Amino acid sequence: MLKFPFALFVALMLFVSCSNNAEVETLKKENAALAAQINALKSGTDAKGPKYILKLRLQQSHLSLSIKKHIKDAMNAIDFELPVDKEFFDSVSKGTSIVDKFRFGSLILAGSFGDWEMTVRDKIVQ
């Protein structure tokens, strides 16, 4: 009695899977296109046009009268480049603040008033 429902289930699954042959071909084509895009990105040659890159600066800022903390914040700032899409690239300008977030955990645990600041340093089109 158990063999009949199992055999019916297997037959039904084979029937359903055979009817989606066009869908399988579409998925194979999409997979090949995605693989080609990954290879183009890895090789650095993207035929879709220019790359939009933002140079960003990330640093901490403390509310303090200590010159030592301000010098430390300036020395620990990092600059990095980030590729972005054209819409975001066009929506920001040099000096735009991307992130200005208060560090609430540091206030609670260490009594430190500070925040993270991320600003746009430069815009590059390659």
Side-chain angles (χ1 to χ4, degrees):
M1 182 168 186
L2 214 47
K3 291 181 181 179
F4 180 70
F6 180 71
L8 182 62
F9 176 73
V10 171
L12 182 62
M13 293 307 288
L14 287 173
F15 177 72
V16 170
S17 66
C18 291
S19 66
N20 291 334
N21 199 15
E23 186 177 334
V24 170
E25 291 301 318
T26 303
L27 290 174
K28 285 181 181 178
K29 289 178 185 177
E30 288 177 4
N31 189 18
L34 288 173
Q37 288 178 0
I38 289 172
N39 289 335
L41 288 173
K42 284 182 180 177
S43 67
T45 58
D46 191 7
K48 290 189 177 182
K51 293 181 182 176
Y52 300 96
I53 299 172
L54 293 179
K55 285 189 176 183
L56 302 171
R57 171 167 278 214
L58 179 64
Q59 71 179 28
Q60 286 185 342
S61 176
H62 287 92
L63 180 63
S64 171
L65 296 176
S66 171
I67 295 174
K68 184 178 176 182
K69 279 191 178 183
H70 292 288
I71 291 172
K72 183 179 80 168
D73 289 342
M75 290 178 69
N76 287 334
I78 58 170
D79 292 335
F80 61 96
E81 295 178 355
L82 185 69
V84 295
D85 62 351
K86 183 173 179 2
E87 292 80 20
F88 187 75
F89 185 84
D90 292 337
S91 71
V92 297
S93 60
K94 291 182 184 179
T96 301
S97 178
I98 304 294
V99 173
D100 191 4
K101 181 139 179 142
F102 181 69
R103 297 178 3 198
F104 189 71
S106 294
L107 174 66
I108 298 296
L109 297 175
S112 170
F113 287 96
D115 63 349
W116 287 106
E117 296 175 352
M118 184 184 301
T119 55
V120 177
R121 300 284 289 182
D122 199 10
K123 295 171 66 172
I124 302 169
V125 178
Q126 290 182 346

